[in-house]
C-alpha cells in the first residue's frame, strides 16, 4: 500500500529548535544558527526510514492573516514572535528541502494544518495510507483508519515518536477524533488564543461531549431539558457562552477542503539534487548527513584541473617565482624532538602553487640552496599559512624567511575575530565551501574522483595533502583579500597584523632566558610553604583531610566549622574562589585555603609546568604568541603562558626573578601607563578626562574628587581605590552589581558611584550610549585602526548574552585600540633596532608591557629608542606615557 508523509513544517522546525539549545546551538561559519534545520532533518530522516514513503510533502504557514483572523481578530494574538535565531533558519530549511526535491506547500490565508488536512483527506480517499508528522495535537481531529498522526516528543534527552490513529485517539480521549473539535469549542485553546467558554476545562468538556456528542446537540438538549446533569455555575457559563462555543469550534476546525493547487502525484519522492545537497550540507556543516548519505562522491571535484608535479627543474621554478614576485606555498610538517629544535617539528614536504600547478618538494635538503634564495628574498611576497611557524621551521635549517606578506590564518582572524577556528580546513570550508579533507587520505576515493595524477606511490597521501593545501591557500588568499578590501580592513592587515607576525616569530625564536636551577629551588620553597599551609589548616580543624577535594573541604567548612553556606550545586557545597572570598571574614582558615590554592597553582603551572619548556640547547623558554585568539586583537601566550604569571601576591612576583638576560646584557622594560584609560579619554572626547591626562595628574584621584564631590587634597587612599574600580569598571561595562561585589558595598551605593561618574564625565556617557546604538545598527564596533568585532550577542534572546554584547560594544574599541597601538609600537621598535644594526631584541610582550634584552653597550640607545617608539607611535589628544625600567631580572623591572 502506498504511503504519504505530510510534515507540519513550522511545528517540527520549532520543536527541533528548542530541542537543540544552549551549548549545542549549531552554527555555520558565518554565525547563522542551524540547530532547527539539523533537528528537523533528523526527525524527517527517521520517519522516512521507518515508513519508506512513496510520497512526501512539507506544509508551512505564511505571514499573511488567515480566514480565522478575519473571523476573530485576536486569534493567536498571545503568541510570541519567532526568535531571530529560528527565523533565520526558515529559508535554510526550505532551500534544503528544494534541493531534496521535496514539495513545499503554502497557501496565503490558510494554515499548515489546513493544507495537511486537505491533502491527507484527498490521499486517503485514493486508498493511500497517510502519516502526518506534527507536534500539534489539534491534528488528532484528522485521525481515521487511513490517517495517522505521529507526534515527536523528547524523553530523557532523546526524541521519540508516538502514533495516533483513530483507535488510539478514542482510547486516550474516549471520543471520536472529529469530536475533539467539539471539545475545543467548549474549552478553547490558550496557545492559539481561542476563547472557548470561561471556566470549562478539558475534563469537563470531554465529559459533556461524550454524552451530548456535539455542541449543537448540547444546546438542543439544554433547551429541551435533557441536560439535567449540567448544573449550577457550569450550566450558567455554557448558556452565556453559546456564541463563543460556536466561534471557538469554527476556529479550531481544520479546513479539509482548502483550495490547494497540489495533486498527490506532485508529492512523489524524487531523486535528490545531490551535488546541491552536498554543497548545502557542507555550508551548514552537516558532516554526519554527508557521510550518512554518501554525498562526497556527488560533489564537483574542485581540484579537477590541478596538477601536482614532483619532477621538475628547480632552477626554472625559481626563475618563475622571481618573475612573479610572490610565492604561494604550504609546509607539511613532521615531529622532530631533536634537542636543538625551537619547536619540535621539522619540514616534511613543501608545496608551491602557481596557477593550476603545485610543485611538490619532498626532500628539502636537496634543494635547500635554491629555495633559500627565494625565501630570503625580501622582494618576493610570501603567501602561506602560519608564517610565524614557517619562520622557525626555516630558521632551524638555516633559512631566514623574509617579507611576511600574507598569512591566510591571520586574514581569517581579521575578517571575523570571533570565529575561534582558523585552521586551514576550516578556512577552506568557510571561504571556498570545500571540505579539504574529503579529497585526501583515501586512495580509492581519490582515484574515483580523478584527483591529480600522482596516485599509487608510497607518499601519495602526503603529496595530496601538501598539494591540496598549497592550492587552497592561493584561492583563500584571493577570496579573503577581497573581503578585507570590502570591509576596509586590508590596511590593518598589511600595516599591523602581518608585521606583528614577523616580530612575534623572531620573539619566539629568540626566547627569554631562565635560570633553571633557581626555578627548581623556587619550587622547593613553594613545596615547603604548601606543607606548612597544610599543617596550619589541619590544626585549625583538628583533623587531616584532602584539601583538594571539594567534597571533603565543603564538609569541613560548612558542617564541621558551621560557616554560612553560600552556594550549593548537584555535587554538594561549592568551594570556588567566589564563595571563599565572601567567607574571608568568617574564619582564618579561609585565607589559609586561598593561599594554599595559589601556592599549588604556582607550583604546578609555573614551576613543574615550565620546566619541560626550557630548551636544552638554548637554555631559554621559547613561548608561542597567539595572534588569532582574542576578539579585541590582544596577543596571548602559550607553551608556556608567560602573560599570566600571577603578580597580585609576592610569591607570584618572585617567580619573575628566575627570568634573566644572558651574560653581558640587561633587561629593559617599558610599560604603558594607563593606556586604556588614555584611549578612552581620546575616543570619548571627554574634556575632563583629557585635561587630567594632559596635566599629568593622578587620574584615579581626579575621578575620586569628581565622583565623591571632594577637593583633590581631601581624597583618601580608600576613595582613590573606589574611583579606580569605577574607572576600569566603566571601561569593561561593569554593572552596579559587579561593582558592588568588587568593592564590598551595596548595589545601591555602587549604582550611585556609576551615576555620579557618568553625570560628571558627560563625554563618556555620550560615547557609551552612541557606541551601543552604532553596534546595534551596524552589527559590529571598530577600533581607531579599523579592527572589527562583530556582536551577534546584541540580538540574542537571552538577556545575559545581550548584556555581554553591550559590555563588549563599549570595551572593544578601547581595549582593541590599545592592543593595536602596542602592536604598532612593537613593529616600530623592531624596525628601528634592525635599521640601526643593534643586537638588542624584544623577548616578551605582556599586554601593555614590552621587555627587551639589551647588550650593556646599547643600553642608553635602546632605552631611548624603546621609550620614544612607544610614546610617539600614534598621536592622541592625550599623551601616551611609557614607564621604562632596567634590571638584571624580570622581577627587578617592576
Amino acid at each position: 500500500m502506498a504511503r504519504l508523509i505530510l510534515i507540519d513544517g513550522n511545528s517540527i522546525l520549532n520543536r527541533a529548535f528548542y530541542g537543540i539549545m544552549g551549548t549545542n546551538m549549531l552554527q555555520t561559519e558565518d554565525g547563522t544558527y542551524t540547530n532547527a534545520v539539523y533537528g528537523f532533518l533528523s526527525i524527517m530522516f527517521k520517519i522516512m526510514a521507518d515508513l519508506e514513503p512513496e510520497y512526501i510533502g512539507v506544509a508551512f504557514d505564511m505571514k499573511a492573516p488567515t480566514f480565522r483572523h478575519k473571523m476573530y481578530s485576536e486569534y493567536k494574538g498571545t503568541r510570541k514572535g519567532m526568535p531571530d535565531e529560528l527565523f533565520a533558519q526558515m529559508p535554510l530549511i526550505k532551500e534544503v528541502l528544494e534541493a531534496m526535491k521535496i514539495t513545499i506547500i503554502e497557501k496565503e490565508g490558510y494554515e499548515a494544518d489546513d493544507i495537511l488536512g486537505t491533502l491527507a483527506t484527498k490521499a486517503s480517499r485514493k486508498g493511500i495510507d497517510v502519516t502526518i508528522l506534527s507536534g500539534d495535537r489539534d491534528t488528532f481531529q484528522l485521525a481515521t483508519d487511513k490517517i495517522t498522526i505521529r507526534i515527536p516528543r523528547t524523553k530523557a534527552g532523546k526524541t521519540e515518536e508516538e502514533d495516533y490513529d483513530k483507535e488510539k485517539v478514542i482510547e486516550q480521549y474516549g471520543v471520536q477524533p472529529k469530536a475533539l473539535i467539539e471539545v475545543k469549542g467548549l474549552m478553547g485553546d490558550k496557545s492559539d488564543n481561542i476563547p472557548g467558554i470561561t471556566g470549562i476545562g478539558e475534563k469537563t468538556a470531554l465529559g459533556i461531549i461524550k454524552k451530548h456528542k456535539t455542541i449543537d446537540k448540547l444546546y438542543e438538549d439544554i433547551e429541551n431539558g435533557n441536560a439535567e446533569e449540567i448544573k449550577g455555575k457550569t450550566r450558567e457559563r455554557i448558556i452565556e457562552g453559546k456564541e463563543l462555543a460556536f466561534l471557538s469550534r469554527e476556529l479550531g476546525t481544520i479546513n479539509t477542503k482548502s483550495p490547494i493547487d497540489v495533486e498527490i502525484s506532485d508529492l512523489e519522492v524524487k531523486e535528490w539534487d545531490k551535488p546541491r545537497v552536498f554543497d548545502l550540507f557542507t555550508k551548514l556543516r552537516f558532516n554526519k548527513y554527508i557521510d550518512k548519505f554518501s554525498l562526497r562522491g556527488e560533489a564537483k571535484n574542485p581540484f579537477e584541473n590541478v596538477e601536482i608535479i614532483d619532477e621538475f627543474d628547480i632552477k626554472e621554478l625559481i626563475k618563475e617565482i622571481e618573475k612573479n614576485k610572490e610565492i604561494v606555498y604550504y609546509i607539511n610538517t613532521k615531529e622532530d624532538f631533536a634537542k636543538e629544535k625551537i619547536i619540535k617539528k621539522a619540514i616534511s614536504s613543501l608545496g608551491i602553487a602557481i596557477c593550476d600547478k603545485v610543485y611538490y618538494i619532498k626532500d628539502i635538503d636537496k634543494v635547500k640552496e635554491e629555495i633559500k634564495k627565494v625565501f630570503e628574498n625580501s622582494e618576493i611576497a610570501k603567501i602561506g599559512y602560519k608564517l610565524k611557524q614557517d619562520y622557525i621551521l626555516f630558521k632551524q635549517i638555516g633559512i631566514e624567511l623574509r617579507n611576511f606578506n600574507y598569512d591566510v590564518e591571520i586574514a581569517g582572524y581579521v575578517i571575523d575575530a570571533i570565529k575561534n577556528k582558523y585552521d586551514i580546513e576550516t578556512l577552506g570550508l568557510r571561504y571556498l565551501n570545500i571540505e579539504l579533507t574529503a579529497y585526501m587520505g583515501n586512495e580509492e576515493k581519490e582515484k574515483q574522483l580523478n584527483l591529480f595524477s600522482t596516485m599509487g606511490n608510497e607518499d601519495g597521501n602526503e603529496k595530496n595533502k601538501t598539494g591540496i593545501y598549497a592550492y587552497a591557500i592561493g584561492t583563500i588568499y584571493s577570496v579573503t583579500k577581497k573581503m578585507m578590501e570590502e570591509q576596509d580592513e586590508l590596511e590593518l592587515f598589511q600595516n599591523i597584523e602581518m608585521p606583528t607576525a614577523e616580530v612575534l616569530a623572531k620573539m619566539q625564536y629568540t626566547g627569554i632566558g631562565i635560570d633553571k636551577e633557581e626555578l627548581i629551588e623556587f619550587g622547593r620553597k613553594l613545596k615547603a610553604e604548601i606543607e606548612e599551609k597544610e599543617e596550619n589548616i589541619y590544626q585549625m580543624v583538628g583533623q587531616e583531610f584532602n584539601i583538594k577535594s571539594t567534597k571533603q573541604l565543603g564538609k569541613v567548612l560548612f558542617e564541621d566549622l558551621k560557616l554560612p553556606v553560600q552556594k550549593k550545586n548537584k555535587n554538594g557545597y561549592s568551594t570556588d574562589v567566589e564563595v571563599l572570598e565572601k567567607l574571608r571574614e568568617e574564619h582564618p582558615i579561609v585565607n589559609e585555603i586561598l593561599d594554599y590554592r595559589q601556592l599549588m597553582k604556582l607550583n604546578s603551572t609555573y614551576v613543574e609546568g615550565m620546566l619541560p619548556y626550557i630548551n636544552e640547547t638554548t637554555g631559554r623558554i621559547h613561548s608561542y604568541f597567539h595572534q588569532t585568539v582574542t576578539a579585541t586583537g590582544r596577543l596571548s601566550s602559550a607553551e608556556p603562558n608567560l602573560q599570566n604569571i600571577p603578580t597580585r601576591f609576592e610569591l607570584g612576583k618572585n617567580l619573575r626573578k628566575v627570568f634573566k638576560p644572558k651574560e653581558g646584557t640587561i633587561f629593559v622594560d617599558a610599560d604603558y601607563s594607563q593606556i586604556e584609560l588614555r584611549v578612552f579619554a581620546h575616543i570619548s572626547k571627554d574634556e575632563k578626562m583629557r585635561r587630567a591626562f594632559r596635566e599629568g595628574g593622578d587620574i584615579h584621584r581626579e575621578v575620586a574628587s569628581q565622583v565623591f564631590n571632594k577637593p583633590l587634597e581631601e581624597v583618601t587612599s580608600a576613595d582613590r581605590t573606589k574611583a579606580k574600580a569605577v574607572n576600569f569598571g566603566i571601561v569593561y561595562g561593569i554593572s552596579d552589581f559587579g561593582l558592588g561585589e568588587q568593592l564590598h558595598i551595596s548595589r545601591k551605593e555602587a549604582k550611585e558611584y556609576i551615576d555620579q561618574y557618568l553625570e560628571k564625565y558627560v563625554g563618556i556617557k555620550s560615547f557609551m550610549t552612541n557606541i551601543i546604538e552604532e553596534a546595534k545598527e551596524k552589527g559590529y564596533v571598530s577600533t581607531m585602526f579599523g579592527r572589527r568585532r562583530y556582536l551577534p550577542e546584541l540580538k540574542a534572546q537571552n538577556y545575559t548574552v545581550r548584556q555581554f554584547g553591550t559590555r563588549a560594544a563599549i570595551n572593544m574599541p578601547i581595549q582593541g585600540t590599545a592592543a593595536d597601538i602596542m602592536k604598532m609600537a612593537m613593529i616600530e621598535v623592531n624596525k628601528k633596532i634592525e635599521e640601526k644594526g643593534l643586537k638588542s631584541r624584544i623577548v616578551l610582550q605582556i599586554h601593555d608591557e614590552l621587555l627587551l634584552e639589551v647588550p650593556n653597550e646599547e643600553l642608553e640607545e635602546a632605552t631611548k629608542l624603546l621609550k620614544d617608539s612607544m610614546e610617539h607611535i600614534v598621536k592622541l589628544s592625550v599623551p601616551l606615557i611609557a614607564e621604562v625600567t632596567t634590571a638584571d631580572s624580570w622581577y627587578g623591572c617592576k
Side-chain angles (χ1 to χ4, degrees):
M1 184 65 67
R3 168 75 64 179
L4 164 65
I5 293 175
L6 293 169
I7 301 174
D8 184 340
N10 291 75
S11 172
I12 299 304
L13 197 67
N14 194 66
R15 177 173 289 272
F17 176 77
Y18 288 106
I20 309 177
M21 290 286 285
T23 55
N24 293 319
M25 282 283 274
L26 309 176
Q27 289 179 282
T28 61
E29 284 302 324
D30 66 4
T32 303
Y33 288 106
T34 60
N35 58 322
V37 178
Y38 186 89
F40 181 103
L41 293 176
S42 176
I43 294 169
M44 184 181 78
F45 290 151
K46 187 173 188 309
I47 194 172
M48 290 182 75
D50 287 349
L51 303 181
E52 299 181 352
E54 286 75 22
Y55 306 95
I56 187 168
V58 182
F60 287 100
D61 294 330
M62 297 188 76
K63 281 186 177 180
T66 67
F67 67 88
R68 294 180 180 87
H69 291 92
K70 293 174 183 177
M71 292 168 52
Y72 181 58
S73 61
E74 297 302 311
Y75 177 66
K76 291 192 175 181
T78 55
R79 284 201 176 181
K80 291 182 179 179
M82 188 182 290
D84 292 341
E85 296 90 340
L86 174 56
F87 182 76
Q89 296 183 63
M90 189 64 75
L92 287 179
I93 188 60
K94 291 180 181 179
E95 191 176 359
V96 170
L97 292 171
E98 285 170 0
M100 291 178 173
K101 304 292 182 69
I102 293 175
T103 304
I104 295 170
I105 315 109
E106 299 169 310
K107 182 69 176 178
E108 191 168 303
Y110 294 85
E111 295 180 57
D113 282 355
D114 300 317
I115 297 168
L116 299 173
T118 300
L119 290 172
T121 303
K122 187 185 291 188
S124 65
R125 286 174 181 161
K126 293 183 176 184
I128 297 171
D129 288 327
V130 180
T131 296
I132 295 173
L133 181 64
S134 175
D136 189 350
R137 291 173 180 263
D138 290 347
T139 52
F140 285 179
Q141 62 185 269
L142 299 171
T144 67
D145 293 331
K146 299 292 289 182
I147 300 173
T148 300
I149 317 301
R150 176 167 290 193
I151 301 287
R153 58 192 177 90
T154 303
K155 186 176 181 182
K158 294 182 179 179
T159 299
E160 298 178 352
E161 301 85 19
E162 196 165 1
D163 286 342
Y164 287 82
D165 57 9
K166 179 180 176 181
E167 286 185 15
K168 181 73 177 285
V169 171
I170 294 171
E171 178 189 328
Q172 180 153 329
Y173 294 98
V175 297
Q176 293 287 329
K178 286 189 176 180
L180 292 175
I181 303 170
E182 312 294 332
V183 173
K184 178 164 283 196
L186 295 178
M187 63 178 282
D189 185 342
K190 286 184 180 179
S191 66
D192 288 341
N193 203 32
I194 295 175
I197 297 173
T198 304
I200 303 295
E202 184 179 57
K203 186 177 179 180
T204 303
L206 278 168
I208 291 171
I209 296 304
K210 281 177 186 176
K211 180 171 177 59
H212 299 280
K213 308 303 181 187
T214 68
I215 292 175
D216 305 76
K217 188 69 168 57
L218 166 66
Y219 284 105
E220 183 182 322
D221 287 347
I222 289 173
E223 190 175 327
N224 296 332
N226 295 326
E228 296 301 324
E229 84 284 358
I230 303 173
K231 300 175 182 177
K233 201 72 176 173
T234 300
R235 189 181 185 89
E236 289 176 23
R237 286 169 174 165
I238 289 173
I239 292 170
E240 290 173 4
K242 183 175 181 179
E243 286 187 19
L244 285 176
F246 283 104
L247 171 66
S248 298
R249 182 177 66 178
E250 196 166 354
L251 291 172
T253 301
I254 292 173
N255 185 339
T256 59
K257 296 180 180 179
S258 303
I260 308 300
D261 190 22
V262 174
E263 297 301 323
I264 303 303
S265 57
D266 298 329
L267 306 181
E268 189 175 356
V269 173
K270 304 176 185 69
E271 184 74 20
W272 294 358
D273 181 346
K274 288 187 177 180
R276 188 179 169 201
V277 173
F278 173 81
D279 287 343
L280 284 170
F281 282 0
T282 302
K283 174 185 172 185
L284 297 172
R285 304 174 76 185
F286 291 171
N287 293 329
K288 179 180 175 181
Y289 294 150
I290 290 173
D291 294 332
K292 181 183 177 74
F293 297 105
S294 304
L295 295 174
R296 298 192 193 280
E298 302 296 331
K300 181 181 182 299
N301 177 12
F303 306 107
E304 194 169 35
N305 299 316
V306 179
E307 181 184 4
I308 287 185
I309 304 169
D310 57 2
E311 292 184 10
F312 54 88
D313 186 335
I314 187 68
K315 291 181 180 177
E316 288 300 313
L317 174 62
I318 300 302
K319 283 181 185 178
E320 188 167 0
I321 293 168
E322 288 174 339
K323 183 180 73 176
N324 293 340
K325 296 292 183 184
E326 71 173 29
I327 179 170
V328 178
Y329 74 97
Y330 172 74
I331 292 177
N332 204 9
T333 62
K334 59 186 176 183
E335 289 186 341
D336 187 346
F337 293 98
K339 291 180 181 179
E340 71 276 7
K341 298 295 182 183
I342 301 302
I343 55 174
K344 303 305 179 185
K345 290 180 180 179
I347 299 172
S348 176
S349 59
L350 172 67
I352 299 171
I354 298 177
C355 298
D356 288 338
K357 293 183 173 63
V358 178
Y359 296 88
Y360 175 75
I361 300 170
K362 174 63 178 173
D363 192 342
I364 293 293
D365 288 337
K366 285 185 178 180
V367 294
K368 180 179 168 182
E369 292 308 312
E370 286 84 356
I371 66 168
K372 182 181 174 77
K373 294 173 186 176
V374 170
F375 286 101
E376 289 193 346
N377 189 337
S378 299
E379 299 298 315
I380 296 174
K382 312 306 183 300
I383 299 162
Y385 167 74
K386 287 188 179 294
L387 295 189
K388 296 199 300 293
Q389 176 176 283
D390 293 352
Y391 175 88
I392 296 172
L393 290 169
F394 277 128
K395 188 87 170 172
Q396 288 176 164
I397 61 170
I399 297 174
E400 181 93 15
L401 182 66
R402 295 192 177 100
N403 191 348
F404 281 51
N405 184 270
Y406 205 99
D407 187 324
V408 293
E409 178 187 40
I410 297 172
Y413 167 72
V414 169
I415 290 168
D416 194 340
I418 63 171
K419 291 297 187 190
N420 297 325
K421 289 185 71 177
Y422 305 97
D423 57 89
I424 197 164
E425 292 86 1
T426 301
L427 295 173
L429 194 60
R430 187 177 298 161
Y431 298 115
L432 310 180
N433 202 24
I434 297 171
E435 190 171 1
L436 300 176
T437 53
Y439 299 94
M440 62 185 71
N442 185 325
E443 192 165 321
E444 285 307 309
K445 183 177 286 188
E446 286 160 355
K447 281 180 179 177
Q448 292 169 17
L449 292 173
N450 191 32
L451 181 60
F452 305 132
S453 56
T454 59
M455 302 306 303
N457 45 33
E458 60 184 14
D459 68 331
N461 289 345
E462 180 174 355
K463 190 176 295 184
N464 281 333
K465 177 183 177 182
T466 304
I468 287 169
Y469 283 5
Y471 180 77
I473 285 167
T475 316
I476 294 167
Y477 160 63
S478 301
V479 174
T480 53
K481 186 175 182 181
K482 184 179 180 183
M483 289 180 73
M484 284 191 288
E485 285 174 348
E486 291 170 352
Q487 294 182 186
D488 294 323
E489 290 181 299
L490 191 57
E491 192 173 333
L492 167 80
F493 175 81
Q494 291 174 334
N495 297 341
I496 297 180
E497 288 300 326
M498 287 314 303
T500 297
E502 188 166 352
V503 175
L504 294 176
K506 291 173 180 177
M507 276 173 56
Q508 184 177 358
Y509 190 82
T510 302
I512 184 170
I514 187 167
D515 189 322
K516 184 176 181 180
E517 292 308 314
E518 196 169 321
L519 179 63
I520 293 170
E521 180 57 32
F522 183 77
R524 290 193 193 103
K525 290 178 181 177
L526 278 180
K527 286 175 183 174
E529 292 206 34
I530 289 168
E531 288 174 6
E532 186 180 326
K533 289 290 177 189
E534 284 178 342
E535 286 303 315
N536 290 346
I537 292 168
Y538 296 153
Q539 286 178 16
M540 286 180 177
V541 297
Q543 61 175 303
E544 289 191 9
F545 66 99
N546 184 356
I547 304 169
K548 289 180 280 188
S549 165
T550 300
K551 188 173 182 180
Q552 291 185 37
L553 179 60
K555 179 181 180 299
V556 166
L557 294 178
F558 303 113
E559 293 181 12
D560 299 345
L561 296 178
K562 308 294 184 187
L563 298 187
V565 176
Q566 301 293 312
K567 176 165 75 168
K568 290 187 81 171
N569 53 42
K570 63 181 180 181
N571 298 317
Y573 302 108
S574 172
T575 62
D576 60 24
V577 175
E578 183 185 351
V579 167
L580 294 181
E581 286 289 348
K582 290 178 181 178
L583 294 171
R584 272 189 186 273
E585 305 303 319
E586 298 289 337
H587 197 288
I589 195 174
V590 177
N591 282 324
E592 294 294 300
I593 292 166
L594 286 167
D595 287 349
Y596 170 82
R597 284 184 175 177
Q598 285 186 323
L599 291 168
M600 288 291 292
K601 182 178 180 181
L602 203 57
N603 184 56
S604 62
T605 305
Y606 298 104
V607 177
E608 294 174 1
M610 258 191 322
L611 283 168
Y613 289 109
I614 300 175
N615 187 280
E616 293 182 46
T617 301
T618 66
R620 297 164 79 89
I621 282 182
H622 301 267
S623 180
Y624 180 85
F625 283 84
H626 288 287
Q627 199 173 344
T628 60
V629 171
T630 68
T632 59
R634 272 194 166 197
L635 302 172
S636 63
S637 165
E639 299 180 10
N641 184 352
L642 297 181
Q643 292 188 330
N644 206 30
I645 293 174
T647 57
R648 291 187 179 181
F649 64 109
E650 194 57 33
L651 261 175
K653 290 180 184 176
N654 285 338
L655 182 59
R656 289 187 169 196
K657 289 179 180 177
V658 305
F659 292 93
K660 297 179 178 180
K662 66 183 178 183
E663 189 175 345
T665 67
I666 190 169
F667 279 155
V668 179
D669 180 278
D671 192 357
Y672 273 123
S673 171
Q674 300 166 331
I675 186 172
E676 289 184 4
L677 289 178
R678 292 172 188 270
V679 167
F680 199 10
H682 174 79
I683 291 177
S684 69
K685 301 178 182 177
D686 186 275
E687 278 308 315
K688 281 186 181 177
M689 187 169 274
R690 285 182 172 185
R691 186 168 59 249
F693 280 121
R694 286 171 187 151
E695 293 174 356
D698 181 336
I699 188 64
H700 302 310
R701 286 179 64 81
E702 295 272 359
V703 169
S705 173
Q706 292 288 330
V707 171
F708 304 128
N709 294 310
K710 287 183 175 183
L712 204 57
E713 60 274 12
E714 292 181 18
V715 171
T716 66
S717 59
D719 293 334
R720 184 185 184 279
T721 298
K722 290 177 183 176
K724 183 177 181 180
V726 176
N727 252 333
F728 287 110
I730 294 292
V731 171
Y732 290 94
I734 201 168
S735 65
D736 48 14
F737 175 78
L739 183 62
E741 288 282 294
Q742 187 175 328
L743 294 177
H744 305 293
I745 59 176
S746 70
R747 189 170 181 174
K748 181 182 178 184
E749 189 177 356
K751 186 177 186 305
E752 288 172 0
Y753 288 172
I754 294 172
D755 290 345
Q756 276 285 91
Y757 182 98
L758 296 177
E759 186 181 317
K760 296 294 175 67
Y761 293 92
V762 291
I764 287 173
K765 183 178 182 179
S766 177
F767 163 78
M768 291 169 66
T769 302
N770 293 339
I771 198 70
I772 292 168
E773 289 305 310
E774 180 185 325
K776 287 177 179 176
E777 182 184 336
K778 292 182 176 179
Y780 65 88
V781 289
S782 303
T783 67
M784 283 175 56
F785 306 98
R787 183 184 306 281
R788 291 185 182 184
R789 200 277 192 204
Y790 288 91
L791 292 160
E793 298 91 345
L794 291 174
K795 293 183 179 179
Q797 292 289 105
N798 184 283
Y799 173 79
T800 304
V801 175
R802 287 201 310 277
Q803 286 301 103
F804 171 81
T806 300
R807 292 194 299 274
I810 295 167
N811 169 250
M812 194 277 173
I814 302 160
Q815 193 177 86
T817 296
D820 289 342
I821 291 171
M822 172 52 84
K823 287 178 177 176
M824 293 162 70
M826 290 172 64
I827 296 163
E828 184 69 7
V829 169
N830 185 72
K831 178 184 171 186
K832 286 184 176 178
I833 285 173
E834 292 184 350
E835 284 177 350
K836 292 175 180 289
L838 302 180
K839 294 179 180 178
S840 299
R841 293 289 179 265
I842 302 172
V843 293
L844 206 56
Q845 190 274 345
I846 316 95
H847 306 311
D848 306 329
E849 177 185 356
L850 265 187
L851 186 67
L852 270 61
E853 186 177 65
V854 176
N856 293 329
E857 65 272 16
E858 294 179 5
L859 178 59
E860 185 178 347
E861 186 174 10
T863 301
K864 184 177 186 303
L865 179 155
L866 178 60
K867 185 174 176 65
D868 287 349
S869 297
M870 290 181 69
E871 291 186 344
H872 300 107
I873 190 61
V874 63
K875 186 172 177 57
L876 302 181
S877 55
V878 298
L880 285 175
I881 303 296
E883 298 171 346
V884 181
T885 54
T886 62
D888 58 4
S889 75
W890 186 12
Y891 175 86
C893 289
K894 287 292 179 184

